[in-house]
Amino acid sequence: MKFIRAIPAISRETKAARSSGHPVVLVPTMGNLHAGHLSLIRRARKLAGAKGTVVVTLFVNRIQFGPTEDFASYPRNLKRDTALCREAGVDILFAPSDAVIYPGAHSTYVVESRLAKRMEGASRPTHFRGVTTVVAKLFNLVQPDAAVFGAKDWQQAAVIRQMTTDLNFPIRIVVAPTVRERDGLALSSRNAYLSPAEREQATVLYDVIRAARLAVKHAPAPLPAGVLRRKLSRLVAKQRLAKLDYIEFFDPKTLEPAKRIDRGTHIALAVFFGKTRLIDNGRL
Ligand code: PAF
């Protein structure tokens, strides 16, 4: 595995990989890798094939965090991440510093202005601007054939797909399924912030998705969004340590809000446990 920290080296190595004629597949991450990331890497290997190149990036992207968010405390573990990537058969690991990606004079941002507005965008107004800016930079540096993202960040994947189309990046966006703990909690680096009591109650995110699925399954007709939202909000309110941020229903492709909830509608929610904010989503 090649371990790279500088721009000229990542450009040179990925150019050489592309000229081999085999696929180059990118997995962008913020590090602190867990089983969810490893499943993205496995998917990338399948897409790249044995002779292709899997590129993983580790970069905690300052500009996608709000001023009061957890950028400073976000878990970083370069040594462990490097070992995990090596074990997983990654070909190139790109772990740039903040100064490499955002040298002093950086003042250009990439903004997706429709899908990025609601849900995560409403709660974290500068978040997606940071995501699309760094992902566009990584796309330019690596120029992969495909890039793999996790379904846990459903809106993020939709925003990135839209940016990819709008800016004519010739890159296939692949979305791999969410990996869950045995009790249903979606894997996330932020789970590490939870106290034991919060961790126990954090299963409520998946409970909400399952309750919504059951409600839709047994409803004789499409359910009004308001009615279902109120019912599901009560489930969250039962957990003493949980504070609901939002529950939204929408079309999984266009992210258009759904007024009547039926099979195939998508649900997404965000819940605070103290300062920790968890998200999840699923198809109903
Ligand atoms: O999903 C993430 O980990 C990040 O948002 C990403 C895509 C690596 C951009 O920093």
Side-chain angles (χ1 to χ4, degrees), residues 70-83:
D70 55 340
F71 172 68
S73 58
Y74 196 84
R76 291 159 171 88
N77 203 335
L78 184 58
K79 209 169 156 192
R80 182 175 166 275
D81 288 347
T82 305

Side-chain angles (χ1 to χ4, degrees), residues 28-30 37 59 61 64 127 131 134-135 149 153 156 160:
T29 82
M30 296 210 298
H37 297 111
F59 179 64
N61 179 35
Q64 71 186 70
H127 172 65
V131 171
V134 81
V135 171
F149 296 88
D153 297 294
Q156 168 174 279
I160 289 171

